[in-house]
Amino acid sequence: MSKILVIFGTRPEAIKLFPVIRALAEMPGLVVRTCVTAQHRGLLDQVLAIADLAPDIDLDLMEPGQTLDRLTARLLVGLGEVMDAERPDLVMVQGDTATAMTGALAAYYRKVPVAHVEAGLRSGDIYQPWPEEVNRRIVAPIATLHFAPTETAADALRRETIAADTLHVTGNTVIDALHWTADRVATDPALAAGLDEIVARFAGKRIILVTTHRRENFGDGMAAIARAIGRIAERDDVAVVFPVHPNPNVVSVMDDILGDRANVARIEPLDYPHFVRALGMAEIVLTDSGGVQEEAPALGKPVLVMRETTERPEGIAAGTAKLIGTDEDRIVSEIFTLLDDRSAYAAMARAHNPFGDGHAAARIAEIIAKGFAQHAV
């Protein structure tokens, strides 16, 4: 039996890894162990609950307001101790978090092979997104298996001289998670019934779903986003649904600038079933998130990205997403264009989703199982 240690610590990692964990568990000859760092405690636990995942190891490392260097140091030491105890044959990390970066580094220090899910995303700017862009670049030369979601991501790795036989284009596992969760909500509406009140409150209005939390937008950018939301919500035909990230750099700005507005529902962060339902309700998605750029197009929702660069250029190229930055007037103008120009809206809503078909996790599990069978991992 070959042991795989899957490491994650944030809500996005959990969403994108739970389909992989399920797929790996079905493979004969593999033992799957899960370790959560709880880099984001509450948001992580929401996903664990809906996915019915009970981690084997929980480091519970979240501290309010801890610096990136303190978090990184604690992660590296804690994950190293876990690997010494578990002695895995393969460590799996996902994406671009501090947990992913330190997990790969701790494995490297022990000469344990690393599989990187969602490998190869690049923005070309080490401060956009920050620090995620560098986290991904650190994992790349360490990883033994690179599961790239798209050909564009695989090409980025080839340019970094990553060996071709270690690259596998699988699609993005977030599409697997999205479809699985949407099916669950369809069969059991109670899973997302917490939005019923908002549905009734905003009946007949066109809903804009907003998510924002990027570090590079803290300060002036976040203030501009808040002012733009206020102006958008002045339209009688529009309502804004805004799950507010708990970071004080987001909450305090929204409190100061937005306050209470009739057409804005500032709500607590949504668990994944409620978020999937909110995506389905929305007419337009306004975000600075990475993952939402992948999820919204799968449901035919245009995405306006409040960033200057993106490590997911496939959505821009396909026309499902558009980079608009954080200029207040630009945000308002782009939203109004989609609301008032049916052809502009249709062009984005009907664009091809480049991020996968919902079978990425099965592909990843099969590649890993085959590799162990051939002693190639």
Side-chain angles (χ1 to χ4, degrees), residues 5-249:
L5 179 64
V6 184
I7 297 170
F8 54 104
T10 67
R11 167 188 158 127
E13 288 170 291
I15 289 170
K16 294 182 177 184
L17 281 174
F18 84 72
V20 182
I21 293 167
R22 288 173 174 273
L24 287 170
E26 295 176 358
M27 290 291 166
L30 300 183
V31 174
V32 182
R33 297 278 288 173
T34 55
C35 172
V36 299
T37 64
Q39 181 181 333
H40 293 166
R41 177 82 269 172
L43 300 180
L44 169 69
D45 289 346
Q46 292 176 354
V47 183
L48 296 177
I50 184 60
D52 195 25
L53 280 179
D56 298 300
I57 304 145
D58 189 336
L59 296 180
D60 197 22
L61 291 179
M62 182 177 177
E63 288 181 353
Q66 67 182 329
T67 61
L68 285 174
D69 43 8
R70 175 169 170 76
L71 172 63
T72 299
R74 296 176 70 221
L75 286 167
L76 188 60
V77 172
L79 290 172
E81 292 173 348
V82 169
M83 290 178 201
D84 290 340
E86 290 287 322
R87 301 181 64 82
D89 299 296
L90 179 71
V91 167
M92 174 175 284
V93 298
Q94 193 282 331
D96 55 17
T97 66
T99 291
M101 183 269 286
T102 54
L105 193 57
Y108 168 70
Y109 287 160
R110 289 156 180 81
K111 297 184 178 180
V112 176
V114 172
H116 188 196
V117 177
E118 198 184 65
L121 276 64
R122 298 290 185 270
S123 73
D125 182 340
I126 65 171
Y127 296 109
Q128 301 263 355
W130 174 81
E132 289 83 358
E133 176 77 3
V134 165
N135 287 345
R136 288 183 183 276
R137 296 193 198 186
I138 290 171
V139 175
I142 294 173
T144 305
L145 290 170
H146 306 263
F147 296 116
T150 65
E151 282 292 346
T152 299
D155 285 342
L157 291 168
R158 294 183 187 106
R159 289 193 296 272
E160 295 172 9
T161 67
I162 299 298
D165 61 353
T166 68
L167 290 173
H168 304 275
V169 178
T170 61
N172 199 304
T173 59
V174 76
I175 308 302
D176 304 36
L178 179 71
H179 290 324
W180 183 87
T181 306
D183 289 344
R184 285 285 308 275
V185 171
T187 56
D188 186 3
L191 289 172
L195 289 174
D196 287 351
E197 182 179 343
I198 288 176
V199 171
R201 173 181 168 186
F202 293 148
K205 293 185 181 291
R206 305 164 75 181
I207 291 176
I208 313 296
L209 177 64
V210 176
T211 71
T212 179
H213 69 280
R214 293 241 62 85
R215 288 184 179 91
E216 58 266 30
N217 284 342
F218 290 170
D220 292 343
M222 198 62 63
I225 291 169
R227 290 192 300 269
I229 292 170
R231 288 170 59 187
I232 292 163
E234 289 174 359
R235 287 182 53 142
D236 292 336
D237 63 333
V238 166
V240 174
V241 175
F242 185 2
V244 180
H245 194 280
N247 191 300
N249 291 288

Side-chain angles (χ1 to χ4, degrees), residues 206 208 228-238 284 304 329-342 344-345:
R206 305 164 75 181
I208 313 296
I229 292 170
R231 288 170 59 187
I232 292 163
E234 289 174 359
R235 287 182 53 142
D236 292 336
D237 63 333
V238 166
I284 302 167
L304 297 178
D329 291 336
R330 175 81 186 277
I331 293 170
V332 174
S333 174
E334 294 286 355
I335 287 284
F336 285 3
T337 295
L338 289 179
L339 289 171
D340 298 330
D341 185 336
R342 290 187 178 183
Y345 183 91

